[in-house]
Amino acid sequence: NFDNVYFIRSISPIKLFLLGLFTLCEGYTLSYVGFINPRIVILAAVLTAAVTCGLFFYAMTTKSDLT
């Protein structure tokens, strides 16, 4: 499928650089917070999973559209 190749070629290098920089900053911040208080990171992961599962089951059992 050559559509994916064109999509990759159309991404400007500055966007990739900024995405990489953002990812590094997020990783550094998360590792710092996780080193100081790992309970916060675990709680955030559990809450994120709970919200995701809740929205998934809500979307599967109702006819209302969340998009």
Side-chain angles (χ1 to χ4, degrees), residues 32-54:
Y32 179 76
V33 171
F35 182 74
I36 299 298
N37 192 357
R39 187 174 177 189
I40 293 174
V41 178
I42 294 169
L43 181 63
V46 169
L47 289 175
T48 301
V51 169
T52 302
C53 288

